[in-house]
Amino acid sequence: MAGRGKLIAVIGDEDTCTGFLLGGVGELNKNRKPNFLVVEKDTSITEIEETFKSFLARNDIGIILINQFVAEMIRHAIDAHLQSIPAVLEIPSKEHPYDASKDSILRRARGMFSAEDFR
Amino acid sequence: MSPEMKDISLRLDAKLLQFMDQLEDLEEKREKINLLIEQGWFSMSKARYSMGHKQVSALQYASEMEPLVRIHTRKLDTGEAEFQTERRELGSDEVENIGAKEEGLRRRMNKSQNAAKENEEMTEEPKSTKTRHTQHQDPLKWFGILVPQNLKQAQTAFKQVIELSAQIAALQSSVLATRGELQVLMKEKQKMTEAAKN
């Protein structure tokens, strides 16, 4: 397992998942749960959160790609993830362009500065 | 200013500059990846226009998929993580026609780890190798035998996005590690300042 490399997981709308699956990240077989979730209009927040947490619990996923609008729905779960692996990358969707001010990582990076620190 | 204070101030400045450089690099890569993703979607939309709306959707996903790209991760002592992609190259049609030895050679060029061992395995069991290769199907084939060039362009764009994702993941972890180091240095300087006052 250690020599094989980890997977790249995707949680996103149909176009996002189709794009990345075209790129070759997808794993789907009878033995294991898929490493992607297609988020549709009727997909519940619970399902998204459970899938995200299941990806974090797996030790064979290196990166989780997630549409930012989906990340907003489970922001508390993403903010609670402080480990470097798996890395969580927020990506835009067709209807929601990327907004750096919402990105968990950038918010943590910016949050350290205050006027006092520069005296 | 005492020498220790000077030293820590210099270290703080250097660390801050490193942090800013990393943030700038991250922003640049972010812009690049977002642009590539949008290009990918645009190409997909054009393919959908010529093939039919339902011909490029989740309905076409295969019932079994094998990942063609994997990510090797390594955690450093500093808390940073390294990410390296490894892509399995396809060429299944060509491989089926080539003899066992050449097949082994092709596999050796594509695999980055345990190459020698696998090479031996390949030459000993050419049949099983061929079976494995046919299972690694190009996802482009899910959408039909002859797909428009736009869909191939979409695939190329997303392949580049995946490579960039690994770089961004590494940068994100570097940025957070540097931020942690900065906080430690700032606290040290604050302690020194308070000690000097007293």
Side-chain angles (χ1 to χ4, degrees), chain B:
Chain B
M1 208 190 256
S2 67
E4 293 88 13
M5 190 66 110
K6 261 190 187 171
D7 174 59
I8 204 165
S9 297
L10 279 169
R11 279 161 62 196
L12 206 47
D13 284 343
K15 199 51 80 173
L16 190 61
L17 282 171
Q18 185 189 11
F19 185 61
M20 294 297 174
D21 281 340
Q22 284 172 345
L23 275 177
E24 197 181 337
D25 198 8
L26 183 58
E27 203 181 344
E28 265 179 50
K29 292 213 156 86
R30 269 260 165 229
E31 271 182 45
K32 207 173 165 186
I33 206 179
N34 291 342
L35 199 67
L36 273 168
I37 291 176
E38 284 163 20
Q39 279 175 11
W41 282 329
F42 189 46
S43 298
M44 256 167 62
S45 296
K46 286 194 270 191
R48 202 173 268 142
Y49 183 72
S50 54
M51 291 168 74
H53 184 76
K54 290 288 177 190
Q55 298 312 309
V56 184
S57 69
L59 297 168
Q60 273 70 43
Y61 294 176
S63 51
E64 280 199 15
M65 299 176 195
E66 182 85 21
L68 299 172
V69 61
R70 287 183 180 269
I71 194 107
H72 292 279
T73 60
R74 199 164 70 105
K75 223 170 182 175
L76 304 172
D77 295 330
T78 50
E80 285 177 56
E82 285 182 353
F83 296 86
Q84 180 69 43
T85 54
E86 185 201 339
R87 181 169 283 278
R88 192 191 297 271
E89 290 299 328
L90 295 165
S92 47
D93 292 328
E94 291 164 10
V95 171
E96 283 167 21
N97 295 330
I98 293 171
K101 273 188 190 172
E102 282 135 294
E103 220 173 289
L105 264 173
R106 180 175 288 270
R107 294 288 282 175
R108 184 169 55 190
M109 276 168 68
N110 293 335
K111 292 262 177 162
S112 58
Q113 290 176 16
N114 299 321
K117 275 187 195 168
E118 284 185 352
N119 191 18
E120 284 167 21
E121 282 168 30
M122 291 306 127
T123 49
E124 281 163 16
E125 302 168 10
K127 282 184 186 169
S128 61
T129 310
K130 282 179 186 174
T131 326
R132 245 199 272 173
H133 261 286
T134 48
Q135 280 174 5
H136 297 153
Q137 201 193 27
D138 184 355
L140 215 53
K141 298 217 167 96
W142 304 342
F143 302 93
I145 305 295
L146 280 172
V147 293
Q149 196 63 25
N150 289 320
L151 203 58
K152 287 183 189 166
Q153 285 167 353
Q155 185 182 51
T156 307
F158 276 99
K159 279 181 179 176
Q160 287 176 291
V161 167
I162 290 162
E163 296 297 316
L164 259 175
S165 303
Q167 292 175 31
I168 288 178
L171 254 176
Q172 279 184 177
S173 102
S174 298
V175 158
L176 292 175
T178 310
R179 168 187 168 269
E181 286 163 23
L182 258 173
Q183 279 181 319
V184 164
L185 280 172
M186 280 189 192
K187 276 186 185 155
E188 253 184 74
K189 187 180 177 184
Q190 202 172 16
K191 274 185 196 167
M192 269 193 203
T193 318
E194 278 165 15
K197 278 182 189 171
N198 299 333

Side-chain angles (χ1 to χ4, degrees), chain A residues 15-48:
Chain A
D15 274 353
T16 302
C17 288
T18 305
F20 283 101
L21 291 178
L22 256 179
V25 306
E27 185 189 62
L28 184 62
N29 56 50
K30 293 165 234 177
N31 309 321
R32 284 142 64 79
K33 286 193 166 180
N35 65 333
F36 61 93
L37 173 69
V38 181
V39 173
E40 280 155 352
K41 285 176 189 164
D42 53 0
T43 308
S44 68
I45 295 180
T46 317
E47 191 185 346
I48 296 170

